């Protein structure tokens, strides 16, 4: 396995959003844990963002695009209904003409993609699958709706999934599910520009061309209830499938929707919060990209050790959910973040007692 991520350089703080929306940094931080998010520059396309993450993952896995015989993409903010992002990415990267398709499982998309990749490999259909989750949610938000506009951010993450005799983290257990009866709680509705604030108050990202003529709409409380419950259930089910106790899981990498959701789920599971990864403060909710982004960050910070059980847990619109339990092995990570001011030098220098994956940064 190899992991690659890419982020737009532009950071948008809660204070900037305060300048055009009836909200406050205090409200956003106390209800969600979010301080800032990345927002794609108007000229950046979803394909470009996805391709940057994909190239980073290939570099991390030390593979040429010719080694990829299937491409699976996930995006809830595609810039076209068809052709799929996966087909366009396959051509962009120059991968062979194996299967290429998108999965639509909202924030659970990367986990659905990993599960499909694993099945395709086990069935003998594919050998090495590229799974890419890429989101430019800023283009499917109604920037006059404070109940959703403050929550999301843009970014992409990619994973190279290979057979069990290839290097990197190994999949131990999988769990996928959906309840379409809850579809109403998080969906898209027709965009009504009349609701927009006067144009002079809006930043550039709120006026750029929309990917779709529909915008995100959510019953936050209902999704909150669902998220805390399902997060707990997935961890328990994966532990059951692997015949382990929950406290044997070294690290839980959940979908980064809201730090309060993670805190509530940690309490329900009786797991200390420091065993959860949380980067929602800096990236907001990047939908299906959030788990690869959080996993890459955890590995870069030296939080994944050889032999550790690492649990990825996703939940989102559909309603969908999914989990992957990994047995950690040294796994290459490459981060393409032209907006990273610190370049994570401190965490890179602290490598004592951990596996020694290759971790690289691609500058601007
Ligand atoms: O990725 C998919 C998964 N997504 C999620 O998991 C999101 C789950 N939901 C949540 O994270 C939370 O429900 C939210 C953060 C979305 C909302 O937090 P909440 O504590 O559930 O707030 P609420 O919706 O109950 O609203 C409380 C108040 C309302 O005002 P009144 O009716 O009490 O006067 C809202 O109008 O907060 C108001 N409000 C805001 N105020 C300032 C809602 N959004 C904002 C805002 N700024 N941005």
């Amino acid at each position: 396995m190899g992991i690659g991520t890419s982020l737009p350089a532009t950071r948008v703080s809660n204070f900037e959003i305060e300048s055009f929306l009836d909200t406050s940094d205090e409200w956003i931080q106390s209800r969600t844990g979010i301080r800032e998010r990345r927002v794609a520059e108007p000229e950046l396309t979803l394909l470009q963002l996805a391709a940057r993450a994909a190239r980073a993952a290939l570099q991390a896995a030390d593979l040429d695009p010719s080694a990829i015989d299937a491409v699976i993409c996930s995006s809830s903010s595609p810039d076209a209904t068809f052709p799929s992002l996966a087909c366009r990415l396959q051509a962009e990267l120059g991968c062979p003409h194996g299967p290429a398709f998108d999965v639509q499982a909202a924030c659970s998309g990367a986990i659905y993609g990993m599960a499909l990749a694993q099945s395709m490999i086990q069935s003998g259909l594919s050998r090495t699958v590229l799974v890419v989750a890429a989101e430019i949610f800023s283009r499917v938000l109604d920037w006059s709706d404070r109940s959703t506009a403050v929550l999301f951010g843009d970014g992409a993450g990619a994973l190279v999934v290979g057979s069990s005799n290839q290097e990197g983290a190994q999949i131990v257990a999988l769990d996928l599910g959906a309840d379409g009866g809850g579809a109403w709680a998080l969906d898209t509705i027709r965009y009504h520009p009349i609701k927009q604030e006067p144009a002079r108050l809006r930043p550039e990202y709120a006026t750029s061309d929309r990917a779709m003529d529909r915008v995100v709409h959510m019953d936050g409380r209902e999704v909150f209830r669902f998220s805390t419950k399902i997060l707990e259930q997935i961890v328990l089910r994966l532990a059951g499938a692997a015949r382990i106790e929950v406290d044997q899981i070294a690290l839980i990498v959940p979908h980064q929707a809201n730090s309060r959701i993670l805190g509530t789920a940690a309490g329900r599971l009786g797991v200390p919060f420091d065993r959860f990864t949380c980067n929602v403060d800096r990236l907001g909710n990047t939908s299906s990209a959030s788990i690869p982004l959080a996993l890459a960050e955890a590995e870069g910070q030296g939080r994944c050790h050889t032999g550790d059980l690492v649990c990825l847990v996703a939940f989102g619109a559909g309603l969908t959910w999914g989990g992957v339990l990994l047995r950690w092995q040294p796994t290459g990570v490459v981060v393409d973040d032209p907006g990273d001011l610190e370049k994570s030098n401190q965490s890179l220098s602290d490598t004592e007692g951990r596996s020694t994956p290759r971790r690289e940064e691609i500058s601007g």
Side-chain angles (χ1 to χ4, degrees), residues 205-222:
Y205 47 82
T207 53
S208 60
D209 282 349
R210 297 191 160 271
M212 298 185 290
D213 194 24
R214 300 181 74 80
V215 290
V216 178
H217 168 258
M218 177 168 66
D219 181 326
R221 287 184 192 187
E222 183 64 25

Side-chain angles (χ1 to χ4, degrees), residues 21-24 27-28 31-32 107 146-148 150-152 186 218-224 227 255 257-258 260-261 285 287 315-317:
L21 204 54
D22 179 18
T23 188
S24 66
W27 190 96
I28 302 169
R31 301 288 179 126
T32 70
C107 303
R146 67 179 184 174
S147 72
T148 53
V150 302
L151 303 176
F152 295 91
L186 179 48
M218 177 168 66
D219 181 326
R221 287 184 192 187
E222 183 64 25
V223 178
F224 192 100
S227 304
H255 169 46
N258 179 329
R260 280 197 300 139
I261 292 177
N285 178 345
S287 188
F315 45 85

Side-chain angles (χ1 to χ4, degrees), residues 293-313:
L293 281 163
L295 181 61
E297 189 173 297
E299 171 61 346
Q301 291 169 343
R303 296 184 70 186
C304 306
H305 302 88
T306 300
D308 276 358
L309 286 167
V310 176
C311 185
L312 318 182
V313 188

